[in-house]
Amino acid sequence: MNKSEAIATIVSTFPDLPLILTTGYISRIAFALGQRPNHFYMVGSMGLASSIGFGLAASGDRVVVVDGDGSVLMSPSGLLLATELPGCALLHVVLNDGSYASTGGQPTSLANSRISELARACGYESVHDATEGHQLASWGGDRRWTGPTLVNCHVDPGTEVGPRIDLPLRQVFRRTREWCASRQVPVVVGAGRAGSCQPQSSLEGRELNMISDVARQDGARSDEVVVKNALASYYEQIQQGMDSLLGRTKAVAGTFRPSCGLPELSDRLIDYFGASDLSFATMTADYAGARVSLLDLRRNPGTNTTKTFASLIIVARAVAHIQLTGEDITIISPSSANKGTALRDAVARAWAAGLVAPEQLNVVVLCPETSRSKLRHTEGLAGDEQSGRNPVGLLRGQPAANVKSIAQRAVDRLDEDPRTGGRRIWYTLEIENYLVADAVRALAEADHFAGRSTTPRLHAHAVSSAYGLLGHDFGRKLLGDAARARTAPSQYLLVQHPATDDMVVSLYARGGGVAGERSVRPSYVGSDDRDVEVQQMNPRFPLVRDVRDGGIVDPTFYTRSPPTAAAMNALIDGQGGGGIVVSKLECRRRYEDVGALLAMAGISLAADPNHVREWSLNMAMTGVLNSLDRGLTDAADILVHGSGYYAIEDFESIRSIDIRMVDDVESFEQVVRDAVRR
Amino acid sequence: MTALNETPRSGRHIDADALAGQLAAAGVGPLFGTPCGVLAPLYAALSRRGSLQTISREDVALGLAVGAALASRPAGVVMQNSGLGQCVNALASLVAPYRVPILLIVSLRGTGQDHTEENVGMGGLTADILTSLRIPWTSLDVDSDWTFATSETINLVTSGRSPAALLFPPEAFGWKP
């Protein structure tokens, strides 16, 4: 047996376990057989493969290490881990060819003959010698090893080797970490002694696995379900949904949008969609008679908001167009911050996954200047900062909402501008991108958190335009009849704040015109605390607000009178639900309560509410608790759509090298031209 | 109770128990370590909490921490800076380029009042090595707000952004020559 054959046997025997591959030819041979996320290619740090394997195994995972004799002899102290961390379910395969293959085939030291003895002396539970592939498979394939097991596998020296591993190494780490997390359906186990292994009994029957996130080990409920890579998991339905919408809607005359739907699913696309995890968990079984659960849509650490989903869809469509036509695309989007961050993150992911090259696809965002404190550095774009391809414009001296009209007008003029070098300029606000992206919420819900078919579920969401809830409704339409029938019927609760309360006002003021709106929006009077105003007229509006902020939770929200209000009103009329407006003061007064509930779903809020930069999740939670306390809903099952939360400790601020100040349409056009001029 | 061989300590110093509590509260763990005289009070506090496992060699401990990080756990490694010397290649070819979010807790033997000849070499190199590898580090000064500095550094790790190091000068826990 030569080394390549041995590696091929190992790779095919353990497609479901993490493989730690040592440096040199062993990693390269495995890489040439096909890169896989469960393979950790340790290209440097010779001698440490088994240490990494023990570290992963000590966290409860069954692990295979593929080592070499030169590597083992370089750091035999790693063998001591068999005693230092007893009980780890580690299969340590040493491909022993007696030589340092990648440095020219020099023989390894005379101590090579002692490897099996060393392993026994260091405390390995069992040690085998193998010369044939079937022996390897028989010792490992049945998954019955219970403690550290070493297979000293004698292979012929001399073998063919594949190319060097050209993946960015941080991507290698990230992919394997995500893969390890993805096979862990969160059945929570207690936080045992650090570094000690789980007893063997808990290692049996494990497609189920311990959850690894330490913060989550306190108080998480057993019904938590993490749906890994939701967009890839439901891709077929999403593609169908996109095709049906593209058949129905047309691009505005004279503007560009990709003619095609979504690209075919490939390994690279799956990797790219890897940021689209979502999860469900019950936070309390009974708050004022309601079960309150969380749908966590902010699990992508690169954004911490649900904007990840639509942005991944938008950028995937751009990728499909580029691949089909060879045309380059510049995405332009106005944003109050989060969409811009998510688009930048998606573009970086498309580059990292090898879907497109940096010069083929870039993104230029225009945000209000007030959004600056929410904008974050996108690590994946860092290598490209100097090129200036992906700037963020900050609009100064104008109302925040003007970012939309300025970006739109710039796009209209730039698409025909020869100075953009024939790139297509795409203004990506088409609703279909949002509807199909947010449809995964309903698709995953039906499979993993269906509730009771006889008990309506109130879906609560902090909204500006309520695309997320319309997307959920669209997802229900994509479900088959049977799946829809066994899932809880949906009702919708709109949660807004005073700066953008139009959807709630629209819901309750219909037919009343301006007078109706006035009767819905209450007037406030002073209180004993001179900074606090109060009202008792309408419980769907803040009962208290701070005069200094007028109750506004986040000044960066700018969407007024959204065109989606009519559709949302019709949905609520037909299926049930309502709306509520909350103030910043109410969110602050609820901060501890909300934090305690979110902790049950594994989310820990910043200790200091002044550090919070994205309040959407707190808004939705506050709206739900206020609705229940005030008797505004009789829902027994409430699912809060956690669309966004982050605090300053969760991200690195955008770097000034990425910022361009914008005063008007002309200066924004110049920003775009500079970004595409290469 | 003072162990017979423990170095006498005096003067103002960082509260090792409080620091161990801060690490635990931030969720840092598992911790792997190799003892160091300067860090002995912290080593004892972490051991009392059952959160520290002694490993014979520092680069092996680093490998373990990387494995724990693959399981999404914000692991830490405790070591003397002489051990950091053992770890240079593991840091340069594994922790730094893969950007593995682990916390390094390292003493600064051979700096300040520690003039022992065998330590001044690594004492002068420790921070420079980390800087060259772009691993963020904070040296904890008894007179500064060490709780704040520590939490900033820990955040880099627990948020999954980056490896980071806390450096402890000889006097940090009251070590005397």
Side-chain angles (χ1 to χ4, degrees):
Chain A
M1 181 170 53
N2 69 29
K3 199 180 278 181
S4 298
E5 290 162 351
I7 291 170
T9 301
I10 295 166
V11 164
S12 61
T13 306
F14 303 108
D16 57 333
L17 293 183
L19 251 61
I20 312 297
L21 295 142
T22 193
T23 184
Y25 282 4
I26 288 176
S27 270
R28 287 168 61 174
I29 290 168
F31 186 71
L33 288 171
Q35 51 165 298
R36 302 188 188 185
N38 60 318
H39 293 180
F40 184 75
Y41 308 106
M42 189 194 77
V43 297
S45 58
M46 184 165 168
L48 293 188
S50 64
S51 303
I52 296 173
F54 271 103
L56 181 53
S59 295
D61 241 326
R62 198 180 278 273
V63 178
V64 178
V65 172
V66 189
D67 222 338
D69 52 316
S71 294
V72 170
L73 294 170
M74 183 168 280
S75 187
S77 41
L79 296 172
L80 293 168
L81 292 172
T83 294
E84 291 172 341
L85 293 177
C88 289
L90 181 89
L91 182 68
H92 188 173
V93 181
V94 180
L95 299 182
N96 189 337
D97 63 357
S99 68
Y100 294 99
S102 68
T103 56
Q106 302 87 344
T108 50
S109 87
L110 295 174
N112 180 301
S113 62
R114 302 291 189 188
I115 287 176
S116 293
E117 281 171 72
L118 273 171
R120 281 192 198 94
C122 289
Y124 275 67
E125 190 175 276
S126 63
V127 178
H128 308 277
D129 282 83
T131 51
E132 300 298 333
H134 68 85
Q135 294 173 305
L136 257 182
S138 74
W139 279 307
D142 60 3
R143 315 294 149 84
R144 293 179 64 169
W145 72 88
T146 56
T149 299
L150 185 132
V151 179
N152 192 353
C153 182
H154 301 276
V155 296
D156 306 327
T159 190
E160 289 173 15
V161 68
R164 285 187 190 278
I165 289 156
D166 57 359
L167 295 173
L169 295 180
R170 63 178 66 170
Q171 190 184 334
V172 171
F173 173 76
R174 202 192 70 215
R175 280 167 42 134
T176 307
R177 184 181 59 183
E178 286 176 3
W179 183 87
C180 289
S182 73
R183 50 204 286 277
Q184 297 172 347
V185 178
V187 172
V188 175
V189 300
R193 181 160 164 262
S196 71
C197 285
Q198 301 303 312
Q200 175 56 20
S201 58
S202 74
L203 290 170
E204 298 294 20
R206 357 185 276 134
E207 58 279 29
L208 301 189
N209 230 305
M210 68 172 281
I211 186 159
S212 50
D213 186 351
V214 173
R216 212 157 275 229
Q217 290 180 344
D218 300 319
R221 297 299 171 90
S222 58
D223 72 343
E224 178 172 14
V225 182
V226 180
V227 181
K228 300 299 293 186
N229 205 331
L231 290 176
S233 302
Y234 293 100
Y235 199 60
E236 207 174 312
Q237 290 101 311
I238 290 168
Q239 275 184 309
Q240 285 166 7
M242 178 61 85
D243 291 345
S244 75
L245 289 172
L246 288 177
R248 265 192 264 153
T249 60
K250 284 218 276 218
V252 179
T255 62
F256 166 80
R257 76 168 180 181
S259 51
C260 47
L262 290 159
E264 289 308 308
L265 200 57
S266 62
D267 284 350
R268 285 181 171 177
L269 203 63
I270 291 171
D271 186 25
Y272 161 78
F273 281 138
S276 67
D277 295 353
L278 52 82
S279 63
F280 298 91
T282 298
M283 293 181 281
T284 172
D286 183 7
Y287 183 98
R291 171 179 292 270
V292 184
S293 311
L294 180 73
L295 165 52
D296 185 1
L297 297 161
R298 39 158 302 285
R299 296 178 70 99
N300 175 10
T303 66
N304 295 128
T305 69
T306 190
K307 302 289 185 189
T308 284
F309 291 82
S311 299
L312 287 170
I313 291 291
I314 287 168
V315 171
R317 285 186 72 193
V319 166
H321 182 89
I322 291 165
Q323 290 175 345
L324 194 70
T325 65
E327 289 181 321
D328 299 339
I329 290 183
T330 295
I331 289 171
I332 292 185
S333 183
S335 168
S336 62
N338 293 329
K339 193 192 323 161
T341 294
L343 281 168
R344 287 161 58 82
D345 182 66
V347 166
R349 292 187 68 86
W351 294 358
L355 290 169
V356 287
E359 55 276 14
Q360 291 178 294
L361 175 65
N362 67 330
V363 55
V364 183
V365 177
L366 183 61
C367 296
E369 195 176 10
T370 47
S371 298
R372 180 156 189 164
S373 68
K374 297 176 75 171
L375 288 166
R376 59 173 70 192
H377 173 63
T378 297
E379 188 57 41
L381 299 178
D384 199 61
E385 277 166 344
Q386 300 303 332
S387 80
R389 279 192 193 95
N390 300 279
V392 175
L394 286 183
L395 182 63
R396 60 185 164 192
Q398 298 202 32
N402 286 13
V403 291
K404 237 171 168 169
S405 56
I406 285 178
Q408 172 86 71
R409 276 153 60 201
V411 168
D412 292 344
R413 290 155 58 158
L414 284 165
D415 195 39
E416 298 301 315
D417 189 332
R419 285 169 294 181
T420 57
R423 298 179 77 88
R424 304 317 306 254
I425 309 289
W426 185 20
Y427 185 71
T428 57
L429 292 192
E430 298 97 346
I431 189 170
E432 64 259 19
N433 301 319
Y434 296 88
L435 291 184
V436 298
D438 295 334
V440 294
R441 303 181 189 184
L443 300 171
E445 180 194 10
D447 280 347
H448 300 289
F449 210 75
R452 291 187 187 172
S453 61
T454 50
T455 307
R457 171 175 285 165
L458 183 66
H459 294 264
H461 200 315
V463 299
S464 308
S465 304
Y467 279 156
L469 293 178
L470 291 169
H472 179 269
D473 178 61
F474 180 66
R476 285 183 61 83
K477 296 189 170 79
L478 293 177
L479 289 172
D481 291 341
R484 191 163 50 246
R486 65 176 156 73
T487 308
S490 54
Q491 304 180 332
Y492 296 107
L493 178 69
L494 307 169
V495 183
Q496 298 200 286
H497 75 121
T500 54
D501 59 4
D502 305 59
M503 294 194 82
V504 174
V505 171
S506 160
L507 185 63
Y508 294 108
R510 273 171 291 170
V514 174
E517 289 189 14
R518 280 211 197 97
S519 72
V520 171
R521 285 199 184 100
S523 353
Y524 287 80
V525 296
S527 72
D528 294 345
D529 182 339
R530 68 192 175 97
D531 290 330
V532 176
E533 292 180 324
V534 299
Q535 63 94 15
Q536 292 288 336
M537 291 163 59
N538 186 347
R540 294 191 177 276
F541 275 73
L543 299 185
V544 295
R545 69 181 190 190
D546 191 316
V547 294
R548 290 165 296 186
D549 60 25
I552 292 171
V553 176
D554 184 338
T556 69
F557 280 47
Y558 58 69
T559 303
R560 302 299 306 258
S561 306
T564 46
M568 206 61 235
N569 290 347
L571 261 181
I572 292 173
D573 287 347
Q575 296 171 208
I580 187 166
V581 179
V582 299
S583 69
K584 182 73 161 272
L585 185 57
E586 287 177 326
C587 289
R588 283 177 168 274
R589 288 184 175 176
R590 285 285 194 190
Y591 194 78
E592 300 286 324
D593 297 345
V594 164
L597 286 170
L598 289 173
M600 295 297 169
I603 293 178
S604 60
L605 295 183
D608 182 350
N610 293 314
H611 286 198
V612 176
R613 287 292 172 272
E614 177 51 56
W615 281 90
S616 296
L617 176 54
N618 291 73
M619 269 177 66
M621 292 289 294
T622 303
V624 165
L625 298 185
N626 286 355
S627 295
L628 288 167
D629 286 347
R630 297 172 195 173
L632 301 177
T633 176
D634 53 6
D637 178 4
I638 299 179
L639 182 65
V640 177
H641 291 228
S643 54
Y645 163 80
Y646 51 82
I648 46 181
E649 35 285 63
D650 297 321
F651 67 101
E652 183 183 340
S653 293
I654 192 163
R655 296 177 182 171
S656 50
I657 191 171
D658 287 324
I659 297 275
R660 309 282 182 278
M661 297 315 296
V662 170
D663 297 305
D664 47 29
V665 180
E666 287 70 28
S667 57
F668 185 56
E669 280 179 54
Q670 192 56 46
V671 167
V672 178
R673 278 197 295 270
D674 289 344
V676 302
R677 187 194 303 136
R678 340 252 98 254
Chain B
M1 192 177 83
T2 307
L4 287 176
N5 57 354
E6 198 172 298
T7 316
R9 287 165 203 282
S10 61
R12 286 184 325 107
H13 45 80
I14 293 172
D15 181 340
D17 277 313
L19 179 57
Q22 190 182 358
L23 290 166
V28 175
L31 288 162
F32 305 105
T34 312
C36 165
V38 166
L39 298 176
L42 178 64
Y43 208 88
L46 293 169
S47 298
R48 278 196 296 276
R49 290 174 168 268
S51 56
L52 177 64
Q53 188 92 12
T54 292
I55 302 299
S56 309
R57 202 178 138 103
E58 294 87 350
D59 59 348
V60 170
L62 269 188
L64 285 172
V66 171
L70 281 175
S72 300
R73 302 178 71 185
V77 178
V78 182
M79 66 175 87
Q80 189 171 98
N81 53 340
S82 53
L84 193 90
Q86 303 277 26
C87 290
V88 171
N89 183 52
L91 292 169
S93 68
L94 181 63
V95 175
Y98 289 77
R99 207 170 168 112
V100 185
I102 61 177
L103 183 67
L104 309 173
I105 296 170
V106 185
S107 66
L108 286 171
R109 289 295 308 265
T111 65
Q113 53 185 319
D114 179 6
H115 304 294
T116 50
E117 282 189 72
E118 69 277 23
N119 287 310
V120 290
M122 271 311 296
L125 286 171
T126 300
D128 286 348
I129 289 171
L130 294 169
T131 302
S132 298
L133 295 174
R134 301 186 179 199
I135 295 174
W137 56 269
T138 308
S139 179
L140 295 186
D141 177 350
V142 191
D143 296 318
S144 70
D145 182 354
W146 60 267
T147 315
F148 177 76
T150 306
S151 75
E152 295 281 291
T153 307
I154 292 173
N155 270 336
L156 287 172
V157 176
T158 53
S159 63
R161 286 210 291 276
S162 161
L166 292 172
L167 304 181
F168 294 90
E171 62 278 11
F173 298 105
W175 182 91
K176 287 284 176 200

